Amino acid sequence: MKKQYQGVVVPMVTPLTTKGAIDREGVARIMGQFAQNNISPLVLGTTGESASFSDQESFEMIEATVAAKEANQQVYAGVVSNLVEEQYRRGSQYLDHGVDAIVATLPAYYILSDDQMKRHFEGLADHLKGPLLMYNIKATTQMSIPLSVVEEMSHHPHIWGLKDSERDISRMHAAIDQYRGRPDFSFFCGWGAQSANSLRTGADGIVPSTGNIVPELYKALYAAALEGDEEKAVHYQELTDEVAKVYQGGRSLGASLAALKTLMHQKGWCQPYMKPPLTELSKGEMKKVVSEWNQLME
């Protein structure tokens, strides 16, 4: 079933200059790599250090990404804030600046009831008057959006999908089963290690951070899944899992993002600089991750 939102959407890193500004040339290089592999970006998501950027910096990232967008790409923009009014404002302005859909998390400071979650997404969708995907990421919000809430919100005319990064296999399959036949609602698996499995069982798309460094492998994985070639899809899943281990293994989320940028720097796609409070890897750690990468690529 052809849906409005599907395919490989990579949560794009936010390239920075030595002075901490948005590196527009880096954005264009990464977008070019994505376009060659039929990949769309999710900018200002968790991998993009979204919570650390000001309004001005965020808009600069949006503008640079939209300017670099090619015909085979859609631009998804993350809205991550504990200020509800800020989510409303940023989401509306991002849509005005040319993004194709907003991907929003829950405000994360307070644990919300099911009813408060519904009210939040309903209010945001009413205000945006444009495409919105809910983003469930328990690792950062400390909350799981119940599938009953997702189902109720899925019938709102402006809510078009769910990006789910929670590592719960039964939840994943339940959501896929629920929305496989809905042309107006898409399920994106944000659990990289389940990319092939989720597509095999009916997910509409995948959102793997490892796609920042090996977009070609996810192009191949997705094509194999569409063709029903499970053996080939699993092969590419195993390859991408090995890549993920290089920059994620034994590291916190923040340190893994620094390692990811280090590897992308090795490819000449962006600089390794991070937005405070996150920091770059030490020289020793950089050397280690590059060495492990080179060994894997031999």
Side-chain angles (χ1 to χ4, degrees):
M1 180 185 295
K2 180 70 174 177
K3 296 190 182 183
Q4 180 69 26
Y5 303 104
Q6 60 183 49
V8 183
V9 177
V10 169
M12 183 174 164
V13 303
T14 301
L16 300 174
T17 67
T18 55
K19 295 184 178 180
I22 301 299
D23 180 1
R24 289 177 175 263
E25 292 181 358
V27 171
R29 281 192 295 271
I30 296 168
M31 284 290 288
Q33 291 294 327
F34 286 0
Q36 289 177 29
N37 292 286
N38 296 323
I39 286 173
S40 291
L42 165 57
V43 296
L44 298 174
T46 306
T47 304
E49 305 169 75
S50 55
S52 301
F53 289 100
S54 67
D55 276 358
Q56 181 178 344
E57 292 166 329
S58 298
F59 293 135
E60 287 177 4
M61 182 61 184
I62 293 294
E63 289 173 350
T65 306
V66 171
K69 172 185 170 183
E70 298 194 19
N72 64 338
Q73 293 175 305
Q74 293 175 302
V75 175
Y76 299 76
V79 171
V80 178
S81 175
N82 288 335
L83 299 177
V84 173
E85 293 83 358
E86 185 172 276
Q87 286 203 4
Y88 288 9
R89 177 171 47 79
R90 285 194 180 191
S92 294
Q93 291 177 332
Y94 293 171
L95 289 168
D96 289 343
H97 277 70
V99 307
D100 295 280
I102 299 301
V103 182
T105 65
L106 290 168
Y109 191 84
Y110 298 105
I111 299 299
L112 304 179
S113 68
D114 291 6
D115 185 63
Q116 288 169 328
M117 292 181 191
K118 292 176 190 176
R119 287 173 179 267
H120 174 70
F121 282 119
E122 185 175 39
L124 181 56
D126 285 345
H127 184 86
L128 291 180
K129 297 182 174 58
L132 169 66
L133 280 73
M134 295 176 285
Y135 181 4
N136 182 54
I137 179 165
K138 188 175 182 181
T140 59
T141 66
Q142 311 307 314
M143 289 177 281
S144 175
I145 305 170
L147 291 183
S148 60
V149 171
V150 174
E151 170 58 20
E152 187 169 341
M153 293 297 96
S154 75
H155 297 283
H156 190 290
H158 297 154
I159 297 180
W160 285 78
L162 170 70
K163 181 210 166 184
D164 203 317
S165 297
E166 188 167 344
R167 300 191 174 197
D168 182 329
I169 197 72
S170 61
R171 174 189 170 94
M172 183 188 83
H173 287 306
I176 289 172
D177 290 343
Q178 183 73 23
Y179 301 110
R180 185 189 294 110
R182 283 273 301 272
D184 60 337
F185 195 84
S186 299
F187 177 83
F188 283 87
C189 178
W191 183 2
Q194 291 294 324
S195 294
N197 184 28
S198 65
L199 291 170
R200 177 184 62 81
T201 53
D204 301 296
I206 53 175
V207 192
S209 61
T210 306
N212 277 285
I213 190 66
V214 284
E216 70 282 359
L217 294 185
Y218 284 99
K219 176 184 179 181
L221 188 157
Y222 186 70
L226 288 186
E227 294 165 1
D229 190 335
E230 185 174 348
E231 183 177 353
K232 185 179 288 186
V234 170
H235 167 70
Y236 286 113
Q237 179 71 68
E238 291 172 347
L239 290 179
T240 57
D241 287 347
E242 290 303 311
V243 173
K245 289 177 185 177
V246 172
Y247 74 93
Q248 293 177 350
R251 295 186 175 89
S252 66
L253 175 58
S256 73
L257 298 181
L260 180 58
K261 280 191 178 180
T262 295
L263 295 181
M264 295 175 74
H265 177 55
Q266 284 296 113
K267 284 197 166 187
W269 295 352
C270 71
Q271 297 296 323
Y273 306 120
M274 303 297 292
K275 183 72 173 177
L278 298 183
T279 57
E280 297 82 49
L281 298 182
S282 66
K283 289 184 178 179
E285 277 291 299
M286 284 187 176
K287 185 176 180 180
K288 178 183 177 183
V289 75
V290 170
S291 174
E292 291 176 359
W293 169 258
N294 289 337
Q295 289 176 22
L296 182 63
M297 293 297 104
E298 288 178 354

